[in-house]
Amino acid sequence: MMLLAIETSCDETSVAVVQNGVVLTNVVASQIKLHEEYGGVVPELASREHLRNLHSVAGEAMARAGVGPEDIDAFAATQGPGLPSALMIGFQAAQAMAFVLRKPLYGINHHEAHLYSPWIKGTPPRACFEEFEPSISLIVSGGHTILAHVRAEQDHIVLGSTVDDAAGECFDKIAKLIGLPYPGGPALERLASGGNSSAHSFPRPLLQSASDDFSFSGLKTSVRYFIRDNPAVLESASGLRDLCASAQAAIVEVLVTKTVRAARRLQVGCVTASGGVTCNRLLRSELELHCQKHGLKLCLADQGFCTDNAGMVGILAERKILLNIPATGLGVEINPYLSLGV
Ligand code: KG4
Ligand code: ZN
């Protein structure tokens, strides 16, 4: 079984070839540079760039896997959620190929694919479902912060999500306040290293709440007021480092505490995490520390599968095939508001 998967929900054009649980190739063309000057993703530019890149990205994914279109048994593409005009490029390309080659098409929920990405491990990357166990899964990116209870494969419920900004958005907005380029998360992390994370006590929103929801806009506002009242902090290298370290510590503490608390409450033995913010080293090490402390297994997405990628889309589609879940009809449309369920 050979699958070709496409992901174009936001600003990464990605195509993967997946065979028997192995991601043979996972080519990603990032648009970060294109959107940098606007300080965020511009949907119209994103869709044009997907259109421009998709052909060569798909060509490279197939060439490196040593396969041609005639070798593909099924197609998969992100159906939603995401930017409508961006989703449309990848989904319609997959639809057209499936139609012409008379193969099945699997429309994939982007968030559900993120639930699968932590199980893709090793070299070559392989879906390690033999290690799967019921878990609490944190999906944490620039657009979403979701805590899900994965009770079994294809059986998950959303416990909570952000009521305002996503965690990655909070990183990006704080980075912007101090003049760092978009997306600010990685740059803020670099500045934070060597800073004193206890220098400033920024709020930890909803940390004590019984709810599994998140909120990050108040934290960002608190950093904004701090900078307004202490403008000199932007002029000093150590001041900037302390500010970044303190803000990062606040975001990470909320994410880790609420994730581990949900795992303990629901008595699952495992925590997983994926999404761009999972690249953050403090988040990774704090999750490791706290999971170890509470006897929880931790399964973090590998660096290459944290951010948006078609590999996770292909792996999920292959699982659906193996579980006899019917293909999506060719007449189906994208759904920018597709949710992970309640
Ligand atoms: O999953 P992703 O590539 O795209 C979507 O948002 O869907 O996530 C991008 C987000 C951005 O907000 C970016 O700043 C954040 O992930 N991010 C990080 C780090 N690397 C990426 N945030 C904190 N620390 C990082 N090292
Ligand atoms: Zn994503």
Side-chain angles (χ1 to χ4, degrees):
M1 170 71 66
M2 184 88 69
L3 274 103
L4 185 114
I6 303 180
E7 153 64 37
T8 61
S9 65
C10 190
D11 61 343
E12 261 107 21
T13 314
S14 180
V15 178
V17 178
V18 168
Q19 185 183 33
N20 301 335
V22 177
V23 181
L24 299 181
T25 52
N26 181 40
V27 180
V28 182
S30 171
Q31 303 179 5
I32 283 179
K33 285 277 160 239
L34 177 72
H35 301 286
E36 191 179 311
E37 69 172 293
Y38 304 98
V41 178
V42 182
E44 175 66 17
L45 293 183
S47 57
R48 283 166 189 251
E49 194 69 0
H50 286 311
L51 198 54
R52 202 171 287 134
N53 289 336
L54 187 55
H55 190 250
S56 61
V57 170
E60 188 182 336
M62 283 192 279
R64 279 177 28 203
V67 300
E70 65 287 354
D71 301 312
I72 306 297
D73 300 304
F75 292 87
T78 305
Q79 190 177 358
L83 301 171
S85 55
L87 285 167
M88 226 180 274
I89 305 298
F91 194 73
Q92 288 188 345
Q95 240 173 353
M97 286 190 278
F99 176 73
V100 170
L101 295 163
R102 296 171 189 270
K103 301 291 180 188
L105 168 72
Y106 286 81
I108 295 296
N109 181 315
H110 180 79
H111 290 151
E112 196 183 351
H114 270 302
L115 293 181
Y116 276 71
S117 60
W119 301 104
I120 306 173
K121 297 170 199 253
T123 317
R126 190 176 72 80
C128 299
F129 291 120
E130 65 278 10
E131 291 176 29
F132 175 88
E133 54 179 293
S135 45
I136 294 298
S137 190
L138 176 69
I139 302 173
V140 66
S141 70
H144 303 277
T145 304
I146 298 173
L147 205 54
H149 182 192
V150 182
R151 296 180 288 211
E153 257 202 86
Q154 299 292 300
D155 176 13
H156 47 256
I157 55 161
V158 173
L159 300 171
S161 55
T162 184
V163 297
D164 42 53
D165 292 351
E169 193 177 355
C170 184
F171 269 105
D172 295 342
K173 287 179 172 172
I174 293 173
K176 196 171 177 182
L177 290 173
I178 57 179
L180 298 173
Y182 171 85
L188 193 147
E189 179 184 10
R190 277 193 295 278
L191 259 182
S193 73
N196 174 6
S197 59
S198 313
H200 312 293
S201 173
F202 292 123
R204 271 73 169 152
L206 298 184
L207 185 66
Q208 302 308 336
S209 157
S211 140
D212 291 312
D213 283 337
F214 298 90
S215 164
F216 289 103
S217 81
L219 167 54
K220 167 208 66 193
T221 306
S222 168
V223 174
R224 182 196 298 278
Y225 288 159
F226 177 81
I227 293 171
R228 181 196 64 191
D229 299 338
N230 303 274
V233 75
L234 299 185
E235 310 303 325
S236 130
S238 68
L240 269 179
R241 280 201 298 272
D242 289 352
L243 179 71
C244 289
S246 301
Q248 176 179 253
I251 299 171
V252 167
E253 185 180 336
V254 172
L255 293 172
V256 173
T257 306
K258 298 196 76 144
T259 303
V260 171
R261 190 190 291 157
R264 298 187 70 208
R265 187 183 77 237
L266 291 161
Q267 299 186 332
V268 298
C270 179
V271 163
T272 74
S274 67
V277 180
T278 318
C279 295
N280 185 278
R281 279 166 302 167
L282 182 70
L283 177 60
R284 295 179 84 87
S285 64
E286 285 295 295
L287 278 172
E288 263 160 34
L289 193 76
H290 288 264
C291 284
Q292 202 173 37
K293 185 170 151 197
H294 294 289
L296 295 161
K297 172 172 139 183
L298 176 65
C299 189
L300 292 170
D302 281 358
Q303 290 284 345
F305 292 93
C306 282
T307 51
D308 292 345
N309 66 88
M312 64 184 188
V313 173
I315 287 293
L316 171 53
E318 193 182 52
R319 288 309 279 183
K320 285 184 185 281
I321 293 171
L322 293 171
L323 295 167
N324 292 319
I325 295 171
T328 314
L330 281 181
V332 165
E333 293 178 19
I334 57 152
N335 181 353
Y337 308 106
L338 203 58
S339 78
L340 196 52
V342 284

